[in-house]
Amino acid sequence: MFPWGLSCLSVLGAAGTAILCAGLLLSLAQHLWTLRWMLSRDRASTLPLPKGSMGWPLFGETLHWLVQGSRFHSSRRERYGTVFKTHLLGRPVIRVSGAENVRTILLGEHRLVRSQWPQSAHILLGSHTLLGAVGEPHRRRRKVLARAFSRAALERYVPRLQGALRHEVRSWCAAGGPVSVYDAAKALTFRMAARILLGLRLDQAQCATLARTFEHLVENLFSLPLDVPFSGLRKGIRARDQLHQHLEGAISEKLLEDKAAEPGDALELIIHSTRELGHEPSMQELKESAVELLFAAFFTTASASTSLVLLLLQHPAAIAKIREELVAQGLGRACGCAPGAAGGGVGPPPSCGCEPDLSLAALGRLRYVDCVVKEVLRLLPPVSGGYRTALRTFELDGYQIPKGWSVMYSIRDTHETAAVYRSPPEGFDPERFGAAREDSRGASSGFHYIPFGGGARSCLGQELAQAVLQLLAVELVRTARWELATPAFPAMQTVPIVHPVDGLRLFFHPLAPLVAGDGLCL
């Protein structure tokens, strides 16, 4: 027994020594990793690097970020402040929040920072897009696209958008079972973008097929840049090529149309605007422009639409106030056509006698609806922020931002911490944007409120997105009531796009029309 005991002690001693050595090596590796990034600071600057942790060798804090989600950033903001360093996805990152700090980043485009997208996104979306353009080419590209989102263009889109949204809400009421709002919103957003912005003539089956192909493209947008069999990039390229093949026929028809004719959709406006600048657009340019328009509208609008439905359900007092405003503006009566009578959801068909009753001017008079939409975008912005790369070392909040490091500005954190809001920023309070509120001046201006970014790369389609959300709010409130199809409200996933983890499953019921004298006329 005695020799056996000595043997056991020897084994335990060896194991303990091995564990101790491994721990020491791991500690040394982490120390060297931290030292490596401390030495990477720009020595020409006397300013220190921001506080923070670079995590573990090679992995950085990526695993913590993936597991903790939005809590990762908020916990580090509480610990280190509004500017801190970390290491994510193989790169050193400076995380930035707060109106003044974000202002410096967004207004520093082309001077302090440049847009940062993974190589796979550049490959899949192409070189003729805003995403890949820098400097003067970027400014020219924005000028071309701006006409597609001008007020005159929006006036043309609004009646068809209202028809599509009206049909969608009524189809939810006629579903006979629970509706996954996020999935339905994605399908709806794609149909509106394809048919109204691009002017594609698609039946329901074609639209569904093209939408699935587009989702395959977007799902592989952020993949390793390896074009090998079964890779994400290869799948994305296949989906892109299928989209381009379908788009080519439609674009060819548009290029042959009368050049003097008034453009009817965003793609035609891009063609006309490009020609006015003395350049004949190539087929490749237009295919990439079309996909860019779909990409810009797809997930973000679907996310915001789902958040609108969710927050209105959670705050019935806001629904009541919207109804009061609609009645006061003479817009309380909903379309009386059967739910299935909208002919594919792009406008009222001959069998439906309900003409669109909303315009940009009418939407502009719906002050409370506008406040609701702004509050939805403040509380649940579809994307949490954006990435830039530092073009040179510069100062931010007393720290140096070294050249070559990634800079991530946070939309959500900036909204949550903005001192301009008098009511608690974590609460749903549309009236914080109302004219009667003392803090309304500046509540939706400056860089306290940035759901669409800002500066040279602010979202060109922000007025269109807001109009879609306003139209959806109107059609929802005067057409339906809705309730959860699940025991409790779902948790929200925040990366990469905000959405309910279960898609938000709801039952929708049509509102019975009220006769005169019964109160609200619906």
Side-chain angles (χ1 to χ4, degrees):
M1 294 296 291
F2 187 71
W4 181 85
L6 285 175
S7 176
C8 284
L9 288 173
S10 299
V11 170
L12 289 173
T17 301
I19 292 172
L20 179 61
C21 289
L24 289 172
L25 286 173
L26 192 59
S27 177
L28 177 62
Q30 186 173 22
H31 178 75
L32 292 173
W33 173 256
T34 302
L35 183 62
R36 177 254 187 273
W37 291 110
M38 289 300 293
L39 294 175
S40 71
R41 64 181 296 277
D42 188 340
R43 297 181 185 180
S45 171
T46 59
L47 297 171
L49 286 170
K51 298 175 184 178
S53 170
M54 303 306 280
W56 295 96
L58 301 179
F59 294 102
E61 294 195 296
T62 301
L63 295 179
H64 295 85
W65 174 59
L66 292 173
V67 171
Q68 296 177 11
S70 61
R71 180 59 190 160
F72 171 86
H73 296 297
S74 60
S75 64
R76 280 150 182 78
R77 185 188 74 226
E78 292 166 5
R79 188 186 312 169
Y80 302 122
T82 56
V83 179
F84 64 86
K85 69 177 183 290
T86 182
H87 194 281
L88 301 174
L89 300 174
R91 289 184 61 87
V93 177
I94 304 294
R95 170 86 171 189
V96 174
S97 61
E100 288 306 310
N101 294 330
V102 170
R103 181 181 186 277
T104 299
I105 300 302
L106 294 179
L107 296 186
E109 186 72 32
H110 309 313
R111 181 174 51 88
L112 300 178
V113 297
R114 62 172 173 81
S115 178
Q116 177 185 315
W117 286 80
Q119 187 180 350
S120 55
H122 287 282
I123 293 170
L124 293 176
L125 294 179
S127 60
H128 302 98
T129 60
L130 277 177
L131 173 138
V134 177
E136 187 57 33
H138 176 261
R139 283 185 279 270
R140 287 199 303 269
R141 182 76 188 146
R142 278 184 70 91
K143 186 175 181 180
V144 167
L145 290 173
R147 278 195 60 189
F149 299 102
S150 65
R151 186 169 183 86
L154 295 182
E155 288 283 11
R156 289 197 292 272
Y157 303 151
V158 163
R160 299 191 71 200
L161 290 170
Q162 185 187 354
L165 290 160
R166 173 182 289 169
H167 171 262
E168 186 71 13
V169 172
R170 296 185 70 78
S171 72
W172 293 349
C173 292
V179 174
S180 175
V181 176
Y182 185 53
D183 290 335
K186 285 192 291 183
L188 169 65
T189 301
F190 183 86
R191 285 198 306 273
M192 290 193 298
R195 292 172 170 172
I196 298 172
L197 291 185
L198 302 186
L200 302 182
R201 300 181 182 91
L202 302 169
D203 59 32
Q204 292 290 82
Q206 289 174 320
C207 205
T209 300
L210 210 59
R212 284 193 297 270
T213 303
F214 180 72
E215 280 212 61
H216 291 324
L217 169 67
V218 176
E219 286 167 359
N220 294 289
L221 203 61
F222 303 97
S223 56
L224 292 174
L226 299 174
D227 185 10
V228 295
F230 308 110
S231 68
L233 182 60
R234 179 66 63 86
K235 294 175 184 176
I237 290 173
R238 189 182 305 119
R240 179 201 64 191
D241 291 345
Q242 290 172 356
L243 277 172
H244 282 189
Q245 183 179 3
H246 185 95
L247 290 167
E248 192 164 331
I251 292 171
S252 295
E253 292 181 11
K254 292 181 183 297
L255 289 172
L256 294 174
E257 289 175 358
D258 182 6
K259 294 183 180 181
E262 184 72 17
D265 55 61
L267 195 54
E268 289 177 0
L269 281 166
I270 290 172
I271 293 172
H272 279 242
S273 185
T274 306
R275 284 171 173 167
E276 286 178 357
L277 292 174
H279 173 65
E280 183 64 26
S282 69
M283 177 60 71
Q284 187 64 25
E285 286 179 79
L286 292 173
K287 287 189 292 189
E288 291 178 7
S289 294
V291 173
E292 183 175 31
L293 286 172
L294 292 173
F295 175 66
F298 188 59
F299 279 109
T300 51
T301 306
S303 167
S305 299
T306 306
S307 296
L308 172 68
V309 176
L310 171 64
L311 289 170
L312 285 178
L313 177 61
Q314 292 175 329
H315 300 89
I319 295 177
K321 288 184 178 181
I322 292 175
R323 284 185 179 146
E324 290 174 7
E325 182 171 64
L326 292 176
V327 171
Q329 294 291 330
L331 297 170
R333 184 177 297 278
C335 173
C337 296
V346 293
S351 59
C352 177
C354 298
E355 291 296 324
D357 59 351
L358 293 170
S359 62
L360 283 182
L363 291 176
R365 291 190 291 272
L366 298 176
R367 303 296 188 185
Y368 186 74
V369 171
D370 180 60
C371 291
V372 167
V373 168
K374 283 188 170 74
E375 181 68 347
V376 168
L377 293 171
R378 186 199 66 83
L379 198 58
L380 291 173
V383 293
S384 61
Y387 281 90
R388 300 290 188 267
T389 298
L391 293 172
R392 61 181 178 86
T393 300
F394 62 95
E395 178 184 353
L396 189 67
D397 202 21
Y399 298 106
Q400 66 162 272
I401 310 300
K403 177 181 178 180
W405 281 41
S406 295
V407 180
M408 182 184 183
Y409 70 89
S410 174
I411 294 173
R412 184 174 297 108
D413 288 0
T414 299
H415 286 179
E416 288 178 357
T417 58
V420 71
Y421 303 121
R422 299 287 180 86
S423 57
E426 66 274 9
F428 181 77
D429 179 18
E431 292 182 13
R432 75 173 78 242
F433 294 103
R437 189 69 65 84
E438 289 182 7
D439 62 337
S440 64
R441 189 180 68 173
S444 62
S445 61
F447 290 83
H448 304 283
Y449 179 77
I450 48 170
F452 299 103
R457 290 190 181 270
S458 61
C459 176
L460 276 170
Q462 57 185 284
E463 290 187 24
L464 174 61
Q466 288 174 304
V468 168
L469 295 174
Q470 290 169 332
L471 290 166
L472 175 59
V474 170
E475 293 300 335
L476 270 172
V477 166
R478 67 182 183 180
T479 303
R481 63 180 179 85
W482 55 104
E483 60 186 357
L484 280 175
T486 53
F489 286 106
M492 298 297 286
Q493 181 172 321
T494 58
V495 177
I497 297 289
V498 170
H499 66 276
V501 293
D502 69 349
L504 189 60
R505 295 174 60 78
L506 301 178
F507 291 110
F508 288 84
H509 311 283
L511 288 175
L514 299 178
V515 298
D518 281 347
L520 295 181
C521 181
L522 300 173

